[in-house]
Amino acid sequence: MTETNSSVIERILAVYDSLPNSERHIADYILERRGTIAGMTARDIAETSGSSAASMSRFVRSLGFTSFAQLAFTL
């Protein structure tokens, strides 16, 4: 994937209103702290944002990524 940080942010913003609350918490966390996400695990983000690992997995797929690693690398 050759996307830039801004396109990932645009993707999050594009789907934001359609996300369930648990995934919105993750989106908010990433939007507010996108510079530090690459150093975190999916579980860290899920727990810190008040969501579950399953919600994190669904969030990643909602954005069209196949894995959290792909999302983190792009950010």
Side-chain angles (χ1 to χ4, degrees), residues 6-17:
S6 61
S7 67
V8 173
I9 300 307
E10 289 170 4
R11 197 184 281 198
I12 291 171
L13 295 173
V15 301
Y16 187 86
D17 289 337

Side-chain angles (χ1 to χ4, degrees), residues 26 29-30 37 40-49 56 68:
I26 295 167
Y29 188 87
I30 290 174
I37 298 303
M40 299 179 75
T41 66
R43 184 174 301 279
D44 291 339
I45 295 169
E47 290 176 359
T48 306
S49 67
M56 185 67 193
F68 173 74

Side-chain angles (χ1 to χ4, degrees), residues 34-74:
R34 61 181 163 245
T36 62
I37 298 303
M40 299 179 75
T41 66
R43 184 174 301 279
D44 291 339
I45 295 169
E47 290 176 359
T48 306
S49 67
S51 296
S52 67
S55 292
M56 185 67 193
S57 180
R58 286 189 297 271
F59 173 75
V60 168
R61 287 193 310 271
S62 293
L63 297 181
F65 293 100
T66 57
S67 68
F68 173 74
Q70 186 182 40
L71 170 65
F73 178 77
T74 305

